[in-house]
Amino acid sequence: MACRSVFDASAVKSDFESAGISPNFVPLVWKHVLKNPNCRWDEIPSLPSAAYALLNSKFMPCTSTLHSAVDSSDQVTTKLLIKLKNGEFVEAVVMRYDTRLGKYDGKPRPGGPRATLCISSQVGCKMGCNFCATGSMGFKSNLSSGEILEQLVHASQISAIRNVVFMGMGEPLNNYAAVVEAIRVMTAPPFQLSPKKITVSTVGIIHAINKLHGDMPNLNLAVSLHAPVQDIRCQIMPAARAFPLEKLMNALQKYQTISQQKIFIEYIMLDGVNDEEQHAHQLGKLLETFDVVVNLIPFNPIGSLSPYRSSKDQRVVEFQKTLRGTYNIRTTVRKQMGQDISGACGQLVVKRSSKTANLITDIEDLHI
Ligand code: SAH
Ligand code: SF4
């Protein structure tokens, strides 16, 4: 039965080889599907006849479907809700945020040329961070490498994608093999993204960080640190107990020595939890010896799922000033995007599965 994604690279390549077909045909098949995800195999010209038989019997161009695409009111963000073949949903977000500002109004230009795609690696997540909508779902399933790539295929129908960030649903380093395989395909024809344009964001799975550079050199690593000391980290991210801060920092030190690359540090600003002056100093001292860029992330409220409030703007500005001024650490503040379409990843899926009539209506109102 045709059931696997043709983007499950190792499966399709090994099946081609066992059938005596050159795996060099595989990127041609992908190229065609990338242009036309709903194609039939016989529409692809010039494949050996055994390839058509094999594709027909075992593979589908896309196993997932684009269920809805919702634009934010400023058109900068489009949130894709994608239905997997097991019936579960994942989110992917296209961000056309252009860092060059508009010529006259000083605002980011919508529809900029450098679209970034935020993709999911799992349905749900077992890490349980208590500020995260995806965490509140628990773990449901891992995406295959093909399902990870299909998000890029669906998004490419909407915008030309230059950057990919694994900041959607799930913990990418808990689905290591599929994520590495998907990135290998993304960096080869026909996608041909530069590894420098791909960022994997992790809660800090130490054993996987230790392997990452060997498997995927030149990739960007982003670490969701979110607290400068172990107890606050444990309070908001239960996984920190298994991956203690001190060991994590040692792993990052090693990663940086080997890779010689800067590391991105994500820090979610939670009112009264991790946003005080002393926390900025603790974070500054922790990161002083690293080559990092700290990204302060305004907390995106997720309703009754989480008890936290966003930090006041003034707090965020002061936090940034301390890191920059006292510790000379490059520090940016993430722009809030797509709040009107449930910007934080996982929110749309969590809302969908909620049985509350109001929430379901919300989603249906948003359908295009
Ligand atoms: N599991 C990985 C990648 C997915 S989460 C990780 O945790 O890094 C991507 C980013 O979104 C993480 O930095 C995460 O902490 C952040 N995030 C999760 N919930 C959020 C929320 N409600 N508001 C703002 N950022 C959030
Ligand atoms: Fe999982 Fe990341 Fe959400 Fe934590 S923040 S629960 S690691 S997806």
Side-chain angles (χ1 to χ4, degrees):
M1 200 183 67
C3 62
R4 287 199 76 148
S5 168
V6 79
F7 291 99
D8 279 329
S10 51
V12 71
K13 285 186 176 165
S14 73
D15 281 5
F16 265 49
E17 268 178 344
S18 343
I21 312 163
S22 163
N24 294 340
F25 285 109
V26 172
L28 293 177
V29 175
W30 289 338
K31 189 173 173 196
H32 197 91
V33 178
L34 181 59
K35 280 200 203 121
N36 182 5
N38 299 316
C39 68
R40 288 195 328 263
W41 294 131
D42 59 12
E43 290 166 7
I44 305 180
S46 323
L47 295 178
S49 57
Y52 294 105
L54 177 65
L55 289 168
N56 273 322
S57 65
K58 286 205 169 162
F59 295 97
M60 291 168 74
C62 271
T63 53
S64 61
T65 51
L66 180 60
H67 181 81
S68 60
V70 184
D71 288 333
S72 59
S73 51
D74 58 8
Q75 311 288 305
V76 174
T77 314
T78 306
K79 190 147 199 165
L80 312 182
L81 195 55
I82 291 168
K83 190 173 184 183
L84 305 178
K85 75 167 194 284
N86 68 2
E88 300 282 2
F89 287 87
V90 289
E91 296 171 13
V93 185
V94 179
M95 294 170 282
R96 292 175 211 86
Y97 182 73
D98 187 344
T99 42
R100 290 172 303 166
L101 298 180
K103 209 166 174 186
Y104 301 110
D105 58 7
K107 289 190 190 132
R109 298 192 280 204
R114 298 183 301 136
T116 294
L117 177 67
C118 172
I119 58 177
S120 296
S121 55
Q122 298 182 311
V123 182
C125 180
K126 60 176 159 224
M127 298 290 95
C129 304
N130 55 25
F131 48 79
C132 172
T134 306
S136 76
M137 294 167 69
F139 172 71
K140 295 203 169 162
S141 57
N142 275 326
L143 269 64
S144 72
S145 63
E147 288 172 322
I148 294 171
L149 286 156
E150 286 181 20
Q151 296 171 74
L152 178 54
V153 175
H154 292 303
S156 300
Q157 313 309 308
I158 295 172
S159 280
I161 304 297
R162 291 282 176 80
N163 303 278
V164 169
V165 296
F166 283 80
M167 292 188 186
M169 297 169 70
E171 168 49 51
L173 298 190
N174 279 346
N175 187 13
Y176 189 85
V179 165
V180 168
E181 185 171 278
I183 292 173
R184 291 206 172 119
V185 176
M186 279 175 202
T187 52
F191 296 102
Q192 235 148 4
L193 293 176
S194 155
K196 294 195 181 104
K197 305 274 182 193
I198 300 176
T199 303
V200 168
S201 171
T202 176
V203 73
I205 312 292
I206 294 173
H207 52 268
I209 292 174
N210 290 340
K211 285 200 292 183
L212 197 61
H213 179 73
D215 288 330
M216 281 280 95
N218 296 323
L219 199 68
N220 290 305
L221 177 64
V223 179
S224 295
L225 207 57
H226 301 330
V229 289
Q230 173 71 358
D231 10 325
I232 304 178
R233 238 185 150 238
C234 288
Q235 190 189 318
I236 61 178
M237 312 162 81
R241 281 187 216 110
F243 305 108
L245 187 59
E246 202 186 328
K247 288 198 175 141
L248 174 60
M249 298 315 290
N250 290 341
L252 295 181
Q253 189 67 263
K254 252 195 277 163
Y255 180 89
Q256 188 142 69
T257 309
I258 301 168
S259 71
Q260 294 292 309
Q261 277 174 273
K262 77 164 97 57
I263 297 174
F264 296 87
I265 300 290
E266 293 158 282
Y267 195 97
I268 191 167
M269 298 293 288
L270 303 172
D271 185 34
V273 176
N274 64 354
D275 66 345
E276 287 157 17
E277 172 92 42
Q278 53 159 330
H279 302 133
H281 285 289
Q282 286 166 330
L283 186 64
K285 289 193 184 104
L286 189 69
L287 297 176
E288 241 174 348
T289 58
F290 285 85
D291 178 13
V292 289
V293 177
V294 174
N295 196 206
L296 301 176
I297 309 175
F299 169 60
N300 213 327
I302 54 171
S304 57
L305 293 171
S306 160
Y308 302 114
R309 285 183 316 259
S310 322
S311 301
K312 310 263 177 312
D313 287 352
Q314 188 53 30
R315 268 282 164 85
V316 181
V317 170
E318 280 161 16
F319 206 94
Q320 183 184 28
K321 246 195 221 156
T322 305
L323 290 176
R324 279 181 172 172
T326 314
Y327 299 94
N328 200 20
I329 293 174
R330 262 179 74 191
T331 310
T332 56
V333 179
R334 182 172 296 172
K335 291 269 178 303
Q336 282 190 299
M337 286 188 279
Q339 277 202 313
D340 57 329
I341 53 166
S342 299
C345 259
Q347 281 191 56
L348 207 59
V349 169
V350 170
K351 273 193 185 179
R352 241 199 89 78
S353 57
S354 158
K355 295 285 171 278
T356 324
N358 275 347
L359 293 181
I360 301 287
T361 318
D362 270 7
I363 302 296
E364 265 146 23
D365 284 350
L366 290 170
H367 278 190
I368 287 178

